[in-house]
């Protein structure tokens, strides 16, 4: 059974930092396209950052230069370091796994999400 469990969310003042962690069981993070998404109230879920099996990463424009996604193949975790947080970063952050770009979305795995609140 595949499980993705996020942690590390919380409330922080603007300019602060948070580190989110996704502990994965049932699949190898090194073999999957692992990503962080977020969903703000009243908005669609959007991609924040992704790391692929080869180790390459890509970021949403709003995340570039502030967020860093990383992977620990031994611990089987995926982290998201978020710096210089802004109030507009507030939302629920989800860990996501997909085997390949061609995989159907029905085969995707999601965590339950962790709340991030940034106050001004």
């Amino acid at each position: 059974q595949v499980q993705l469990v996020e942690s590390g969310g919380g409330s922080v003042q603007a300019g602060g930092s948070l580190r989110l962690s996704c502990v994965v069981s049932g699949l190898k993070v090194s073999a999957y396209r692992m990503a962080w998404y977020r969903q703000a109230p009243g908005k669609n879920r959007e991609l924040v950052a992704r790391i692929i099996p080869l180790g390459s990463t890509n970021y949403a424009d709003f995340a570039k230069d502030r967020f860093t996604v990383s992977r620990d193949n031994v611990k089987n975790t995926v982290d998201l370091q978020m710096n210089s947080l802004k109030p507009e970063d507030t939302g629920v952050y989800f860990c996501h796994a997909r085997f390949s770009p061609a995989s159907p979305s029905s085969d995707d795995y999601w965590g339950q999400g962790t709340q991030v609140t940034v106050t001004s």
Side-chain angles (χ1 to χ4, degrees), residues 2-3 5 10-11 18 20 23 26 41 48-49 52-53 60-61 63 76 81 85 91 104 106 110-111 119:
V2 175
Q3 284 190 315
V5 181
S11 183
L18 283 174
L20 307 183
V23 178
V48 176
I52 67 172
D61 286 344
N76 214 42
Q81 177 67 43
L85 284 162
S106 56
W110 291 92
T119 58

Side-chain angles (χ1 to χ4, degrees), residues 2-7 20-27 29 34 36 72 75-79 95 111-112:
V2 175
Q3 284 190 315
L4 284 67
V5 181
E6 303 97 334
S7 63
L20 307 183
S21 184
C22 176
V23 178
V24 181
S25 58
L27 62 83
V29 297
M34 302 300 302
W36 286 93
D72 187 319
K75 295 181 179 179
N76 214 42
T77 58
V78 179
D79 288 356
C95 185
Q112 82 288 350

Side-chain angles (χ1 to χ4, degrees), residues 11-49:
S11 183
V12 64
Q13 287 190 330
S17 298
L18 283 174
R19 188 176 184 89
L20 307 183
S21 184
C22 176
V23 178
V24 181
S25 58
L27 62 83
K28 293 183 177 181
V29 297
S30 59
Y32 275 68
R33 299 166 63 87
M34 302 300 302
W36 286 93
Y37 283 75
R38 72 183 188 185
Q39 187 165 18
K43 294 189 177 181
N44 293 330
R45 194 172 295 189
E46 60 181 351
L47 176 69
V48 176

